[in-house]
């Protein structure tokens, strides 16, 4: 790491991206667990809770990675173990976002790549757990792909639509 890297503000961008990615990873865990459940559950209500005793989590029990470590991987209420999936997905998402920020800088390409890789992680985890790929990931990814193709004009939009059609 050079002094130029530190002076340029790039380190701030990478650290911010990692922290933001960890927060996104926390929400990704909710999507993985609730969209993979049968019947599907809302990712909005109820708020975060222990999957075993259904006790609601306080804000300080919901800090990505840190809370799991502080609680030693156990629910504060019932004391039962909390899956290591939670901090691993949060950490993986933080790494994804930091890596794209480092490689591409604060650009639309970095944002789109980080979002796409996060969606793929969510798909992979849900598929590994439940052997399904929820439509919410698929349709959400399609909508975001169209949105990120808009800056490229009509040609980008057509290419994105073609990718969706042929990929289906």
């Amino acid at each position: 790491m050079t002094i130029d890297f530190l002076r340029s503000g790039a380190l701030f961008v990478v650290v911010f991206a990692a922290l933001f990615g960890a927060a996104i990873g926390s929400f990704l865990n909710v999507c993985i667990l609730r969209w993979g459940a049968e019947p599907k559950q809302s990712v909005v209500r109820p708020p975060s809770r222990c999957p075993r005793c259904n006790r609601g989590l306080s804000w300080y029990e919901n800090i990505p990675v840190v809370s799991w470590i502080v609680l030693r991987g156990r629910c504060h209420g019932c004391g039962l173990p909390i899956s290591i999936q939670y901090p691993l997905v949060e950490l993986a998402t933080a790494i994804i976002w930091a890596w794209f920020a480092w490689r591409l800088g604060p650009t639309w390409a970095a944002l789109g790549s980080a979002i796409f890789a996060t969606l793929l992680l969510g798909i992979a985890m849900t598929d590994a757990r439940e052997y399904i790929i929820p439509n919410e990931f698929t349709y959400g990814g399609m909508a975001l792909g169209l949105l990120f193709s808009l800056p490229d004009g009509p040609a980008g939009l057509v290419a994105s639509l073609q990718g969706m059609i042929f990929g289906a």
Side-chain angles (χ1 to χ4, degrees), residues 108 145-160:
W108 284 111
L146 287 174
L147 183 67
F148 276 96
S149 72
L150 292 178
D152 295 332
L157 185 60
V158 168
S160 185

Side-chain angles (χ1 to χ4, degrees), residues 55-138:
R55 181 184 149 279
L57 301 181
S58 304
W59 69 268
Y60 55 85
E61 295 174 302
N62 221 3
I63 301 169
V65 182
V66 174
S67 292
W68 191 87
I69 293 169
V70 169
L71 292 169
R72 289 183 255 134
R74 299 195 170 277
C75 172
H76 186 72
C78 66
L80 292 173
I82 300 169
S83 172
I84 195 161
Q85 172 191 321
Y86 291 96
L88 290 179
V89 168
E90 292 163 354
L91 189 59
T93 310
I95 290 168
I96 287 168
W97 283 71
W99 191 82
F100 282 114
W102 175 69
R103 294 292 294 155
L104 303 174
T107 62
W108 284 111
L111 180 63
S113 298
I115 289 172
F116 183 67
T118 301
L119 282 171
L120 289 178
L121 176 61
I123 288 169
M125 290 299 299
T126 308
D127 192 25
R129 288 176 53 89
E130 305 294 335
Y131 303 109
I132 63 166
I133 298 174
N135 288 335
E136 291 84 353
F137 283 125
T138 305

